[in-house]
Amino acid sequence: MSTLRITDGQVLLPDMRVVDADVLVDREEGGILDVGRDIDADADETLDASGGLVMPGLVNAHCHVAMTLLRGYADDKPLDAWLQEDIWPAEAELTAEDIRAGAELGMLEMIKSGTTAFADMYFEVPTLVDAVDEAGLRARVGHGVVTVVKDDEGAQVDIDESLSVAREYDGAADGRLSTAYMPHSLTTVGEEYLRESVAEAREDGVPVHFHANETTDEVDPIVDERGERPLEYADDLGMLRPQNFLAHCVHVDESEIDLLATRGAAAVHCPASNMKLASGMAPVQRMLDAGVTVGLGTDGAASNNDLDMFDEMRDAAMIGKLAADDASAVAAGTVVEMATRGSANAIGVRSGVVEPGANADLIVLDLDAPHLAPAHDLVSHLAYAARGSDVRHTVCDGQVLMRDREVLTMDEAEVKERARTHARDLVARAEDA
Amino acid sequence: MSTLRITDGQVLLPDMRVVDADVLVDREEGGILDVGRDIDADADETLDASGGLVMPGLVNAHCHVAMTLLRGYADDKPLDAWLQEDIWPAEAELTAEDIRAGAELGMLEMIKSGTTAFADMYFEVPTLVDAVDEAGLRARVGHGVVTVVKDDEGAQVDIDESLSVAREYDGAADGRLSTAYMPHSLTTVGEEYLRESVAEAREDGVPVHFHANETTDEVDPIVDERGERPLEYADDLGMLRPQNFLAHCVHVDESEIDLLATRGAAAVHCPASNMKLASGMAPVQRMLDAGVTVGLGTDGAASNNDLDMFDEMRDAAMIGKLAADDASAVAAGTVVEMATRGSANAIGVRSGVVEPGANADLIVLDLDAPHLAPAHDLVSHLAYAARGSDVRHTVCDGQVLMRDREVLTMDEAEVKERARTHARDLVARAEDA
C-alpha cells in the first residue's frame, strides 16, 4: 500500500468538533485509512498541516464549469433576458475546444479554492470527462437536454446523447467520474421526453439532475397549465426519487418541501446565482427542518461570478437568515455541513467527511491570515471569514492536486492564457453572428 | 518634492473607464499629481503595477474596528440578543489595550484587503487615534455615546467625552485623522442630549454620525411614541445635514428617503451586517435614484465577519437586486462607485477617485488570479469576483503601506499574536464576570 500522511494539523470531524489529529490516506484506493495523532504508520508522502485545519474538500453540487469562459460577460440582467440576449447566443458559438478551455479554468479555480468534487450539466461531455480526468477532480457529469426549441428529430438526438453519455462514462477516471441524466428543467423539456427518458435512466440506475423552481417564470406556467405545482408534476413523472437532485428550489411551497422530504430527492441551493439574477430566496431552513437533503452549488461562473465555495457558504448563511427572517437560521455549522456532507449526499459521492472509509477528498486550510484571527470559533470562520485563497493543500482521491498553493495537475499559466484566448475569440464570433 | 510613481498598470478612472496609465504621487502632500502614460517626471520611489489595476483605495464608511477582537465570538443571533447576551458583556470587560489590539488587527486586515480609509465609532478614541497614526491609514473617528442606560451624570460624561474627542483630534496625524460627533442611535441617546450636543457639534463644524433605522425595533418605538418616522425626528433635531452620515438606513420609507436626499445627509449601507443579523434589506437602488449619497461599510467584524470591502461590494450588489426584485439594480459599476467615491463623500474625505488633486489613497489589484480570468469586464470583476487577497500594493496619503503583500507599517505576526492573546484573556474575563 502507498500512503499519504497529513501531519500536525487540527481536523474538522463530521460532528463539527475540531481536534488535533493526523490523517492517513491510501493513495492507491483513494480512501481515508485513519484519523488521529498516534497513528503508527510510515507514510510514502507527507503534507504539512501545522497551523492549519484539515477538512473535507468542498463539494459543488451544481455547476456548468465550462461557463467560466463567460465570467463577467453579461451581468446585472434577469435570468430570462440574460439567457436569451447574451448567454445562449454566445453558447451557440462554443466549440469543444472552448468548452475544454473554460472547464480547465474553472477546475483550476476549484482546486485553488478547495473544491474537490462537483456536479456538472453542460454539452460536449466527452471533452469534459477528459479534462476532469487530467485535473484529478471528482465529478458527476451529464449532457443538458433542452427539447422545447427543437423539432422531434433534434429533440431525440439530444435525449439519446444524454442517455448514452450517462451510460458510457459512469465509473470512468478510476471511479472519479460518475454520471447523471440531465434534462434541463420541467419547462424546457417536453413531457413525453421527460417521461420516457427518466424511465430509461431509472432502469439504468443513473440519477436524474435538473433545474427546478428557480424563478416564478418556471413555476407559473406549470401551475396555470396543469393545475399542480412543478414538483407535483415532477413527482408524477417519477423524477423525485432518492439519488436524484434538483438545482435551485427557490420557489417551493410547503407541499413541495414535504414531497422532497418524503421521496428522498435532494435540493441544491445556489444562493449567489439566486441573488445575482434576483430569482429569489430559497426556504433553506424550512427544507432542512423538513428533513430534505440540501447541498450547495455555485451554478455557472457567469451568474456568480466565481466558483469559490467559501463565498457560497457565506452567501447561504446570509441569505438563509433573511429568507427565514431569523438571524439564528442557517447557522455556521449548517452551511459547512451543506457544502461538505450535504452536497456529497446530494450528488451521491462518499466524500464530505473526514473519517476512515470515506473518499480521501481533503483540503488543508491555512489559519494564519489576519481575517482568521482571533480563533474564537473555527466553524464560524469557515462560514463567515475564510475564503478560497486560504487553502494551502488540496487532495482528491488520495492524490495531492495542490501543494502549498502550487497546482500539480495543471499548468496554471497555460490554462489561464488558453482561457483568455478562447474567451476573446468566442466573443468576437458571437458579435459577428 | 518627493514623488512616487505607480508604473505600467491599467487605471480605473472616476467614470469607470479603464485605461493604460501611470500615476504620479506627491509623497509629502499625499496627493495625486498626474495620471497618464507619458508623464515626464523622475520619481523617488516606484511601485510596479504591471498586470494589475490601479484603483482608489476602498473606503469603509461604517466600522467599529476594535470589535475585530470579537470576530466569530457570537454568531447566528438577532441584533438585540446578540448585543445584550454577548457583545455588551464582553465590551464591558474591554481595556484600552484590548481595544488597541483589536484595532491593529482590523487595520492590518484593511491594509491587506485594500481599504485605505474608514469611519469608526467606538470607545477609547485616543488609543485608536494613536494606532491609526502608526498604521498609516486615514480615518474619521468618534466616541460612541449611549445615554439611556445611564444616570444624568454618567450620560453627561459620555456626551462631554464625545464632544471633546471630536474637537481634539480633528486634523491629527498630518491630517489623516478627522472626527465626528457620534451619538449611537436615536433610541439609545435621550432627546435632550441629542438636541444640545448636536447643536454644539454643528457650531464646531464637526459632522454627526449615528446608526439609523437598522431594525424595525429601532423604528417602531419612535413611530409609536412620537407619531413620526425616525428620520423625521432626526430632522427635527437638526441631524440630517450635509456632512452628516447615517449607518444602515434599512427600514426607511419613501418620505425618509426624500428627506435624506433633500437635506444632503448620506446613508452608509452595511449589507453583510444587515443579512447576518437578519435586520432586513435596505432600499439601496431607491436611495440612489432619489439622489441620496450612499456609502458602503462593513460594520464591526463581529457581525460580518470580515473587513474585506470586496466582499461588501459583492454583498451590496447581491442583496440590492433582491431588495429591488430586479437583477439590473445595484449593478457592478454602482457598487464600485459606492465603495470608493460614495463612501469618501459620505465620510467627507477627498479620496475614492484616481485623479489629480485627490488624496493619494490607492491600491493595485493583481489581475492574474484564475478567478479574474478571462477579462470581459474589469468593473464586473471588482464587484463580483475580486477579493481582498488580490490586492498587491496599498498606498495611503502617498505612503506605501503594503508592497507585494508585505505590510510595511505593522509587524503582521506581532499584531496577530497580540490580538489572539487579548481575545483569549477578554473571553476569560467576560465568562468570569
Side-chain angles (χ1 to χ4, degrees), chain B residues 364-387:
Chain B
V364 178
L365 194 79
D366 208 312
L367 299 173
D368 190 48
H371 58 265
L372 300 180
H376 294 296
D377 181 343
L378 288 184
V379 173
S380 160
H381 282 1
L382 299 182
Y384 295 116
R387 57 197 61 148

Side-chain angles (χ1 to χ4, degrees), chain A residues 68-73 75-79 105 108-109 112-113 272-281 304-306 308 311-312 314-315 317-319 321-322 325-333 367-377 380-381 384-385 387-389 412 416 419-420 423-424 427, chain B residues 68-73 75-79 105 108-109 112-113 272-281 304-306 308 311-312 314-315 317-319 321-322 325-333 367-377 380-381 384-385 387-389 412 416 419-420 423-424 427:
Chain A
T68 313
L69 212 59
L70 296 171
R71 186 202 316 276
Y73 174 60
D75 293 313
D76 307 319
K77 287 185 148 188
L79 179 62
L105 176 66
L108 175 67
E109 187 184 354
K112 294 204 83 170
S113 57
S273 174
N274 298 159
M275 288 194 273
K276 183 154 184 273
L277 300 171
S279 303
M281 300 193 281
N304 191 305
N305 290 344
D306 64 49
D308 185 338
D311 257 8
E312 213 65 34
R314 186 170 188 271
D315 290 341
M318 295 298 200
I319 193 181
K321 296 171 196 310
L322 277 185
D325 192 20
D326 176 2
S328 69
V330 193
L367 300 173
D368 190 47
H371 58 265
L372 299 180
H376 294 296
D377 182 343
S380 161
H381 282 0
Y384 294 116
R387 56 198 61 148
S389 50
E412 180 170 341
K416 289 186 290 195
R420 290 187 189 111
R424 213 162 24 230
V427 170
Chain B
T68 313
L69 213 59
L70 297 172
R71 187 204 313 275
Y73 174 59
D75 294 313
D76 305 322
K77 288 185 147 188
L79 180 62
L105 176 66
L108 175 67
E109 186 184 354
K112 294 204 84 170
S113 57
S273 174
N274 297 159
M275 289 195 273
K276 183 156 184 272
L277 300 171
S279 302
M281 299 193 280
N304 191 303
N305 287 351
D306 63 49
D308 185 339
D311 258 8
E312 213 64 34
R314 188 171 187 270
D315 290 340
M318 294 298 200
I319 192 182
K321 295 171 196 311
L322 277 184
D325 192 20
D326 176 2
S328 69
V330 194
L367 299 173
D368 190 48
H371 58 265
L372 300 180
H376 294 296
D377 181 343
S380 160
H381 282 1
Y384 295 116
R387 57 197 61 148
S389 51
E412 179 169 341
K416 289 185 290 195
R420 290 188 188 109
R424 214 164 22 232
V427 170

Side-chain angles (χ1 to χ4, degrees), chain B residues 143-161:
Chain B
H143 173 93
V145 170
V146 173
T147 68
V148 290
V149 289
K150 293 170 184 160
D151 59 20
D152 283 356
E153 197 181 337
Q156 196 58 53
V157 166
D158 216 21
I159 296 275
D160 291 347
E161 172 72 7

